[in-house]
Amino acid sequence: MKKRARQRWIVNLGLLVAVIALLLLGTINDQPVDNSPKLLSDFLPAEITRIRIDKPGKKSTSFQLEGNSWMMNEPYTLRADPGMVKRLVAIGQLPVSSIIQGGDIEMDAIGLAQPLATVTFNDVTITFGDPQPVGQLRYIGLGNQVMLVADQHVGQLKSGSITYVDRHLVPEGKGIAELVIDTNAIDLTTDTSIVDQWLAMKASWLSHSAEVPETATDIHITLQDGSKIHYLAERRENDVVLTNPGIQFEYHLPFTALETLAINLPATDETSDDAAASRQGK
């Protein structure tokens, strides 16, 4: 009897150990598994300080991080639009759907032999090829690998270099020491609100200046660091344009900016006719 009881105890102990082992195995298997896709940033430098965009038949566009600000080095030497550069850096947040070894696929067939754009982050280069026919994915090349990533940012890469230029009339972080509109020197001690408006104002969009306007209001700005900005303000059919003849850029603003920035434009034939018609109607 004692022997049989001892055998039963050993069997029960073995069963208990087996149950505990199964429970532990089930617990381990129930642990959450990270199935999230890799991000493109896993293959990029941890700290990005230089970006370069190259497109077939176009001038290169390059940026350099200086302190906390991005500067454009090519094709213009100007402050870059921080929002646009931030969108470039956001390319690193694209999820990688799959990775293919470069030798296992024809580069011509997926647009990577002649990519539509090449973006270099520091010294790591990404080439953008054709979209995949299904799945809203795009082929990219990185080193000797081909990847499929979400088909985003290509529209931005197709944009011209001018879209990356900062649209502020006065560079951010710069103070105004002197503001002269036409021949009127603004009293910066009393007209502080006008100065604030000039510092905050951004153009709706930029364009290249075809020619210097013949009839315009001269605006001269001297910054606190001694640098100077010159604008020629004129009214166009759909907006107000401030031309910077030094860099040959046009800053397009809404008509409300005239009052906001205290700009008085010379009357044109059209505005004179409108004023005369208004007086006759009264």
Side-chain angles (χ1 to χ4, degrees):
M1 289 289 294
K2 290 184 179 180
K3 183 177 180 182
R4 190 180 301 120
R6 186 165 52 251
Q7 289 175 340
R8 188 183 303 116
W9 181 85
I10 293 173
V11 170
N12 290 337
L13 180 61
L15 290 173
L16 178 63
V17 171
V19 169
I20 293 174
L22 288 172
L23 289 174
L24 288 175
L25 182 60
T27 302
I28 294 173
N29 289 336
D30 286 340
Q31 293 297 319
V33 178
D34 184 10
N35 291 320
S36 59
K38 288 181 176 292
L39 297 178
L40 200 52
S41 58
D42 295 338
F43 306 91
L44 298 179
E47 183 178 357
I48 297 173
T49 58
R50 290 176 286 116
I51 304 174
R52 181 186 180 94
I53 305 172
D54 291 291
K55 294 180 289 186
K58 303 292 184 181
K59 292 182 178 179
S60 298
T61 304
S62 64
F63 309 93
Q64 176 81 37
L65 182 62
E66 297 183 5
N68 295 321
S69 301
W70 283 95
M71 295 296 297
M72 178 184 288
N73 296 328
E74 298 175 283
Y76 319 110
T77 306
L78 294 169
R79 187 181 294 265
D81 185 310
M84 292 295 288
V85 177
K86 185 177 181 180
R87 288 176 60 189
L88 282 177
V89 176
I91 289 175
Q93 297 306 308
L94 291 176
V96 178
S97 177
S98 60
I99 300 176
I100 311 164
Q101 294 303 318
D104 297 336
I105 192 168
E106 280 291 333
M107 296 299 180
D108 282 331
I110 57 174
L112 286 175
Q114 296 180 323
L116 65 89
T118 298
V119 183
T120 302
F121 296 96
N122 292 0
D123 298 313
V124 179
T125 298
I126 301 173
T127 54
F128 285 77
D130 293 339
Q132 193 187 46
V134 293
Q136 296 183 332
L137 300 173
R138 183 172 292 271
Y139 291 101
I140 68 164
L142 198 159
N144 62 350
Q145 294 178 319
V146 174
M147 303 180 184
L148 276 170
V149 300
D151 190 11
Q152 301 171 12
H153 298 283
V154 170
Q156 179 187 5
L157 295 178
K158 291 180 178 179
S159 301
S161 299
I162 196 171
T163 60
Y164 292 93
V165 176
D166 184 19
R167 292 178 286 117
H168 281 92
L169 298 182
V170 178
E172 286 188 288
K174 302 287 186 180
I176 297 177
E178 185 178 40
L179 173 60
V180 179
I181 302 176
D182 199 5
T183 57
N184 179 32
I186 304 299
D187 187 345
L188 303 185
T189 59
T190 59
D191 296 331
T192 55
S193 62
I194 295 179
V195 174
D196 291 340
Q197 294 293 344
W198 272 93
L199 293 174
M201 184 64 68
K202 290 178 66 174
S204 303
W205 57 288
L206 303 181
S207 63
H208 293 282
S209 174
E211 57 185 17
V212 176
E214 295 181 0
T215 304
T217 295
D218 265 303
I219 301 171
H220 293 273
I221 304 172
T222 302
L223 302 180
Q224 290 178 348
D225 62 5
S227 57
K228 299 180 182 294
I229 303 174
H230 178 209
Y231 288 114
L232 295 168
E234 62 174 331
R235 186 192 301 270
R236 298 265 180 93
E237 181 179 357
N238 298 315
D239 54 14
V240 173
V241 175
L242 270 61
T243 300
N244 185 325
I247 58 177
Q248 296 184 318
F249 277 2
E250 295 178 343
Y251 292 72
H252 295 258
L253 304 168
F255 289 118
T256 54
L258 290 175
E259 182 178 356
T260 303
L261 302 177
I263 301 174
N264 293 317
L265 296 181
T268 62
D269 293 339
E270 183 178 346
T271 55
S272 298
D273 292 343
D274 290 343
S278 177
R279 287 193 297 269
Q280 290 174 2
K282 291 182 178 179

